[in-house]
Amino acid sequence: MFCFQCQEAARNEGCTIAGVCGKKDIVADLQDLLVYTIKGLCYVCEKSNYLDDEVMEYIPKALFVTITNVNFDDKDVMDYIKKGVELREKIIEKTNLNKEELPHCATWNYENDDDIIELSLAKEVSVLAEDNEDIRSLKELITYGIKGIGAYLSHAMHLGYNNEEIHKFIVKAMTKLVDSKDADELFNLAMETGKYAVDTLALLDKANTETYGHPEITEVNLGVRDRPGILISGHDLKDLEQLLEQTKGTGVDVYTHCEMLPAHYYPFFKKYDHFVGNYGGSWPFQTEEFEKFNGPIIMTTNCLVPPKDSYKDRVYVTGAVGYPGLKRIPVREDGTKDFSEVIEHAKKCKPPTPLENGKIVGGFAHNQVLALADKIIEAVKSGKIRKFVVMAGCDGRHKTREYYTEFAKKLPKDTVILTCGCAKYRFIKLDLGDIDGIPRVLDAGQCNDSYSLAVVALKLKEVLGLEDINELPIAYNIAWYEQKAVAVLLALLYLGVKNIVLGPTLPAFLSPNVAKVLVEKFGISTISTVDEDIKRLVG
Ligand code: FSO
Ligand code: SF4
C-alpha cells in the first residue's frame, strides 16, 4: 500500500504498512482500485457522453467510501468495485464504445475475488503509478478535491438536491486524470475543481437550509439526562431526522457527537424534546467517549476510529461508512433507514456517564451573521473588531494540534474567530468572551458549512465597498485533516483568497515544486509558533 491523502500520513510522507488511521493494507489497496475503477467508469461516460441516475448515485458515494476514516471494510470496498465494473460494462454495451480504444482502467475485468485482490496490488492502480512526482502531486490534489466534492454531493443528494453539472465535471476531470501529463492543464483543472467545490457547497447549503431552516444562535447543552441514549456522529442530517422521528416517545434520548453538533442550530430539530445535547468532543477522542456513553452509537459518515472491543457491539454504521464486524442500519424499500434495532438496543443500556456540564453557543451560519451585520460592521468601523480569524477545518490526533488551543487563547481580545468543522473543538469550550455582545467565536456549523464563511466574507466585501476579498480584515489559519478539507481549500483558492496558513503540516501529497507554485501564486504557508503566527496574521 501507499497512501498519503490525509494530514496524518506516516512521517508526513505516506503510510506504507498500515494506515495511521487504522486502515489495513488490503483496504488501502482496494480503495486505490476503487478509484481506478471510478476513473474507468468516468472515462466511458465522458467518451460516450453518457450519464444516468444510477451512475450519478454511484460515483459520489463510491468516492466517499475512499475518504479517510469512512470505510475500513475490504468487503464493502470490493462490492463498490464490482458495482463500478458492472455499470461501466453496461454503458460500453449500450453505447457501442470500441473497447480497443479504451485504457486499462476502463476495460479490466475479473472472474473472482482473487483477481480483484491481485490487481489491487499492481503498481498501475496505485498512486505511485505516476512516476513524475509533480504530475502525481497535481493529480492527487485534484483526486482528493474530487473525493471531497463527492462527499458533499452525496449529502446534498441524500436530501433530494442534485446538480448534473457537478457530475459532468467529476466525469470530465477523472477522465483527464487518466489522459493528461500536462502540468499546466492539471493546475488549471485543480482550480476548476475549486469552482465545482464552491458549487457543491452552495448546493449543500441550499439543501440543508431549505430542508431544515437557517441555523440560528443556539445554546447546546453538554450535560446528560437520566435515560438511555443514542449517540449520532458524522455529518448526515437526514439520518438524524429519521432517527429523531423513530425515537419519539420511546423513552430513548438522542445526543450528537463531533460534526453532528451543528444540527442543534437548525430550527427544524428544535421541536424534538428528546434531542438532548452534544456529548464529547471531536473524532480523535471518540474511543474514550464512546466507552462512557454506555448506549449505541451511529456513525453516519467520517470520522470513525477503529472501535475498541469494549464498545464495538454498540457501534452501528450507515451510508458509506464501514468497519468489519459493525452492524449496518437496514434500509427499507422506500429508502428510509430502520433504526428499530438500535432503539431496542438503547433501551437495554445504562444512561450516558456525564462528561461535562455547561453549553456551547453556535449557529452563526451566513443568515444569522448577516442578521447581525449592522452590529458587526459598526464594530469593525469603530475598531472594536480589528480582525476576523478563520480557524476552520478539522481536528486530528497529533499533539501538535494543541497549537490551535494556544492560538485561540492568545489572540488579542479585539479579534473574532470564524469557525466551522471539527477543528472548533480545540477552542469552542474556552470562555473567550464577546465584543459588544458579539461572541468572539462564531461557529457556522460543520465543515459542510464552509460555504457560509465564504458568503460572509463576500458580503462584508460588498458592504465595506472593497475591490478584493484580500482587503478584508480576515486572516485564515486553517487546520486540515482529510479530503473534504482539500475540497474546501481548493474552493477558497478559487474564490481568490490569499495567504492561507494551512496546518499543522502541509499535505504530504504536495511535491516541493507544486508547493512552491502554491506559495508563489497564493501565499500559502504552514504554521510556525503561536506568537509568530499571531504577529504575522493579526499584527
Ligand atoms: Fe471533521 Fe472528520 Fe467535517 Fe472531516 S469529523 S475531519 S473535514 O471528517 O468532515 O470536519
Ligand atoms: Fe495514512 Fe491518512 Fe492514508 Fe490513513 S488516510 S492510510 S492515515 S495517509
Side-chain angles (χ1 to χ4, degrees), residues 418-434:
L418 303 176
T419 190
C420 68
C422 59
K424 65 170 151 278
Y425 283 101
R426 290 282 166 180
F427 47 81
I428 197 152
K429 293 174 189 171
L430 302 173
D431 185 9
L432 295 179
D434 63 274

Side-chain angles (χ1 to χ4, degrees), residues 386-405:
R386 177 162 39 134
K387 205 132 200 186
F388 295 94
V389 185
V390 174
M391 293 183 71
C394 324
D395 200 7
R397 300 177 174 85
H398 284 175
K399 227 184 137 35
T400 46
R401 302 237 175 203
E402 287 169 5
Y403 161 97
Y404 294 102
T405 310

